[in-house]
Amino acid sequence: MTFLRALLLLVALPFTPELRAEEVPPPGSEAYATALLHQLVAVDTSSGRGNVPSLAADLASRLRRGGFASQDVTVVPVGDTAALVARYRGNGSGGRPIALMGHLDVVAARSEDWGRNPFELAQTEGYLVGRGTLDVKGEIALLVTTLLGLKAEGFVPTRDIILILTGDEETTGDTAEVLAKDHRNLIDAEFALNADNLGGGTLDEKSGQPILFRVQGSEKASARFQLRTRNAGGHSSQPRSDNAIYELADALKAVERFRFPLRWNEWTLGDFAGTGPTIGGTLGEAMVHFSTHPGDPDAATRISEESAFIGRLRTTCVATLLQGGHAANALPQSATATLSCRIFPGDSMQFVHDQLKQIVGSKVDVIDGPPVAAAAFSPLRPDVMAAVSAAVEATHPGARVIPTQSSYATDGSTFRLAGIPTYGVGGLFIKESEQFAHGLNERIPERSFNLGLAYWNVLIRKLTSPGHAN
């Protein structure tokens, strides 16, 4: 059988006992990882499709056939989705387990928008294109391939390695909550390495050379609020001064002008210190200055001019939805705006509510969305940073490894709040201009994907081999 035919067979079907070993690429190889990514992308795991449990079951079977003990591979059903947890047994000499995590679900995508089937992996012009390639099935393919390759060679880690793949990170996050609350025995670890940090490595826009690699140890909590105005309304031929739409507009302009208090931690200061020199100019100077003079208002003002970085300075709220009135010839009886708020670790949802209420005034109601817990941040661990630095140097020499805090939230937030320090360390390198997660033609560089195997191999070995300092 030719290699191409074997590869197509692997993509089209899950592994079964009837497939002979020579018919599939060897575990741990680039061909295996690419074929697995084909299969992962082909399953539409967006919300409401109900396909996550079957994909989790297929990966569970794959891991068992690859050497994982049956009792060490568990699919945990949660509503119409599921989580997969698999334990790679170590000899225990290196301390408590570490966890490797990602999520199986993806954001919805439509063929009519993409101009092609987004759930069919395309290899074109040096890229792997398809829904979930960056967020985050590419990393899952690398993790599974790496672990099966280590199994195949007989590697025995000094501590257990727990693979955790959740099923609804893009929507409710219920699977992570259920694992943390009801199945702590399955996931309990000294710390977790989260593959879901959307290409931690940055490539130069012009040269394509590696510049930075960000290790994410902190995230912001995501919360929603509504601003609502009401009055009796009336006939539009008799305008009144307390128009609900005008009052809401005034409140929204107040929100636009408002700046929450400046905040910082070791993750954001480290990011500014590392990013500033690569950017240069007045923005880079402001970043470096803020990293050594936290809270400096002038530096904060310059940084705040850039949408990519303002979220690393403070809590932010922005209007995203608007609704008002009930008829074209009637004064509005109500108007409502939805605010999307990203809450800095240390601030609470109640704090944000109180700040909003203060600035919008007594005529506007502030309505809380679903409650969210305050965000937590992980301690900056030297052993994790050293292991990541070694893995990056082995695959992308010259890239500077720095800490960071993300403005979005992942399942890592749930694990941190559950007492498991979590670090975003996904190994893919990509240009910032090519970050199309959640968007059209999501992609990853094929070379970066292939190098990701060596990255995860080095990283896992550094943290689970003899001589690692806990």
Side-chain angles (χ1 to χ4, degrees):
M1 177 178 287
T2 66
F3 174 77
L4 178 59
R5 184 181 172 195
L7 188 61
L8 292 175
L9 182 61
L10 175 64
V11 173
L13 297 171
F15 284 150
T16 64
E18 290 75 25
L19 286 177
R20 296 188 300 273
E22 67 270 16
E23 293 180 328
V24 297
S29 67
E30 293 177 3
Y32 187 104
T34 302
L36 177 54
L37 182 57
H38 270 276
Q39 187 173 343
L40 293 174
V41 170
V43 182
D44 181 354
T45 51
S46 57
S47 179
R49 296 293 185 179
N51 291 329
V52 172
S54 61
L55 182 58
D58 181 70
L59 287 172
S61 297
R62 183 187 298 267
L63 291 169
R64 293 188 186 103
R65 284 192 295 274
F68 283 72
S70 294
Q71 64 270 23
D72 288 337
V73 182
T74 305
V75 175
V76 179
V78 180
D80 65 351
T81 187
L84 170 63
V85 182
R87 184 176 294 260
Y88 189 132
R89 295 284 176 177
N91 59 28
S93 63
R96 296 175 59 204
I98 65 170
L100 309 175
M101 57 186 290
H103 60 87
L104 294 171
D105 62 314
V106 297
V107 169
R110 302 188 304 176
S111 298
E112 54 267 38
D113 294 333
W114 283 52
R116 55 175 298 276
N117 182 3
F119 298 101
E120 180 179 323
L121 188 71
Q123 295 174 260
T124 176
E125 298 180 350
Y127 293 91
L128 298 170
V129 185
R131 175 55 91 222
T133 48
L134 182 59
D135 188 16
V136 67
K137 287 181 175 179
E139 295 284 6
I140 290 175
L142 294 173
L143 285 175
V144 171
T145 300
T146 301
L147 292 176
L148 290 177
L150 292 173
K151 276 284 187 184
E153 73 174 61
F155 175 73
V156 179
T158 57
R159 55 169 79 189
D160 289 0
I161 302 170
I162 306 171
L163 177 66
I164 305 169
L165 303 179
T166 58
D168 54 5
E169 188 272 348
E170 299 290 5
T171 51
T172 63
D174 287 345
T175 51
E177 293 279 356
V178 168
L179 289 176
K181 292 179 180 179
D182 301 333
H183 300 277
R184 183 59 179 255
N185 61 311
L186 292 179
I187 67 164
D188 194 38
E190 182 176 345
F191 58 86
L193 303 179
N194 191 1
D196 185 19
N197 68 329
L198 301 188
T202 301
L203 299 175
D204 182 79
E205 291 292 329
K206 294 181 179 179
S207 68
Q209 294 301 304
I211 306 172
L212 293 175
F213 186 91
R214 291 184 170 92
V215 178
Q216 180 233 70
S218 182
E219 305 174 33
K220 299 174 81 172
S222 177
R224 294 195 306 274
F225 296 85
Q226 286 188 330
L227 304 182
R228 180 175 296 167
T229 55
R230 296 181 183 275
N231 65 38
H235 201 283
S236 61
S237 66
Q238 299 175 335
R240 48 192 295 167
S241 60
D242 58 347
N243 185 294
I245 290 178
Y246 293 159
E247 290 175 347
L248 179 62
D250 290 340
L252 289 174
K253 294 301 290 185
V255 172
E256 180 187 23
R257 293 188 297 267
F258 179 70
R259 293 290 181 267
F260 284 87
L262 288 170
R263 303 282 190 244
W264 57 86
N265 55 44
E266 60 186 345
W267 296 95
T268 58
L269 295 181
D271 192 328
F272 288 141
T275 303
T278 69
I279 292 179
T282 58
L283 175 59
E285 291 174 0
M287 288 181 168
V288 173
H289 185 77
F290 193 91
S291 72
T292 56
H293 299 79
D296 181 84
D298 292 334
T301 297
R302 177 64 185 93
I303 297 170
S304 296
E305 294 173 358
E306 307 294 331
S307 61
F309 300 109
I310 187 173
R312 295 173 196 172
L313 288 171
R314 51 170 55 92
T315 291
T316 61
C317 289
V318 62
T320 55
L321 294 171
L322 188 63
Q323 182 179 1
H326 60 285
N329 60 348
L331 298 177
Q333 296 172 355
S334 67
T336 304
T338 298
L339 303 180
S340 175
C341 297
R342 305 300 170 129
I343 304 176
F344 204 98
D347 289 347
S348 66
M349 193 168 179
Q350 184 62 51
F351 171 78
V352 176
H353 174 104
D354 293 343
Q355 293 281 293
L356 291 173
K357 186 60 183 174
Q358 182 177 344
I359 64 173
V360 301
S362 60
K363 296 180 180 180
V364 182
D365 295 327
V366 178
I367 304 168
D368 294 354
V372 298
F377 59 91
S378 304
L380 209 162
R381 289 182 62 118
D383 57 345
V384 171
M385 297 300 289
V388 171
S389 295
V392 169
E393 183 62 24
T395 55
H396 294 85
R400 187 176 182 183
V401 177
I402 63 174
T404 194
Q405 172 182 285
S406 68
S407 295
Y408 55 83
T410 72
D411 286 331
S413 294
T414 299
F415 279 61
R416 289 189 187 97
L417 290 171
I420 302 175
T422 303
Y423 304 90
V425 296
L428 294 174
F429 274 72
I430 190 170
K431 295 178 181 178
E432 291 189 359
S433 62
E434 296 174 341
Q435 290 261 10
F436 299 143
H438 294 198
L440 296 177
N441 299 313
E442 181 179 352
R443 68 189 63 193
I444 52 177
E446 189 167 5
R447 181 175 183 274
S448 176
F449 178 74
N450 291 336
L451 287 172
L453 281 176
Y455 167 86
W456 281 109
N457 196 293
V458 171
L459 180 57
I460 291 171
R461 288 178 188 272
K462 285 289 182 181
L463 293 170
T464 64
S465 295
H468 169 67
N470 295 327

